[in-house]
Amino acid sequence: FPVTIRCHKTGPPLRMELLLIAILAFSIRIAPVIKTDRVDFDTYGHLYYASAIREQKRNPWGSIKIQCWAGENFSHPFLVHWLLGRFKKETFTNYQRIINPALDALFTAFLYYASQLHFGGDKKISVLCVLLYIFTPMWFSRISMGPRVHNFTPRLITEIAFPVLIFIALYREDPSNILHSVLFEMLIIAIIINSTKFGV
């Protein structure tokens, strides 16, 4: 349907808008799980990978020795696990439930910014886009949210990175900066490929 594009110059600065959007998104995402201390099976696995990479002094592109019956060398896109291995295990275990809501809040702020660019600065449409994303009914079922928001798994990183990649690839405001866009796209692709098998 036709959309009237207007550029609104009034209102708070874009930085403040992005901050408010991120706070709103984070609050809504964390509310259903803030009192939950359960760590899901997937999260235990990813925490184990992060610990094993640190203890075995491996890099993101190597393999780890699985310490279990008939354990063999195990390869996986370990970039996220390698990064998490830089932190203390107890700290990550205690605060792991806020990582994915925080990542999704950042993505929501990006969605608002992308909508501003696409709709010529129309704040009403941008806010509607963000609210549609934030209040999608699936987010209010713990079953639908699954470990990707309820507990930490790297899958959400690639689920967020992929639409960002598509947006950057399709939207180039200044064609003279195509080299910067392509380099940034290559960086995102590398992160996706090295973060989780679901990204590939």
Side-chain angles (χ1 to χ4, degrees), residues 104-188:
D104 196 64
L106 292 175
F107 175 71
T108 307
F110 171 81
L111 179 64
Y112 180 79
Y113 176 73
S115 300
Q116 286 277 291
L117 291 177
H118 183 71
F119 293 113
D122 193 324
K123 294 181 181 180
K124 289 182 180 179
I125 294 180
S126 299
V127 168
L128 288 174
C129 289
V130 164
L131 293 178
L132 180 63
Y133 175 72
I134 291 176
F135 290 102
T136 299
M138 65 171 281
W139 287 106
F140 297 94
S141 166
R142 189 167 290 177
I143 295 174
S144 294
M145 288 197 311
R148 282 168 284 182
V149 174
H150 183 200
N151 288 116
F152 168 78
T153 66
R155 187 189 303 190
L156 185 68
I157 293 173
T158 54
E159 289 178 345
I160 287 174
F162 186 75
V164 172
L165 170 67
I166 297 300
F167 177 80
I168 293 171
L170 296 178
Y171 184 85
R172 291 193 178 99
E173 188 174 13
D174 185 0
S176 65
N177 287 332
I178 190 168
L179 179 60
H180 296 105
S181 296
V182 169
L183 291 175
F184 191 53
E185 290 162 21
M186 290 172 63
L187 175 64
I188 295 176

Side-chain angles (χ1 to χ4, degrees), residues 11 28 32 39 41 47-48 101 105 110 115 155 179 193:
I28 291 170
V39 178
F41 178 79
L47 292 174
Y48 174 77
F110 171 81
S115 300
R155 187 189 303 190
L179 179 60
I193 291 173

Side-chain angles (χ1 to χ4, degrees), residues 77-94:
F78 282 133
L79 177 62
V80 174
H81 305 92
W82 179 79
L83 291 171
L84 294 176
R86 311 297 100 194
F87 298 96
K88 289 184 179 180
K89 185 167 146 184
E90 295 76 18
T91 302
F92 181 71
T93 305
N94 292 337

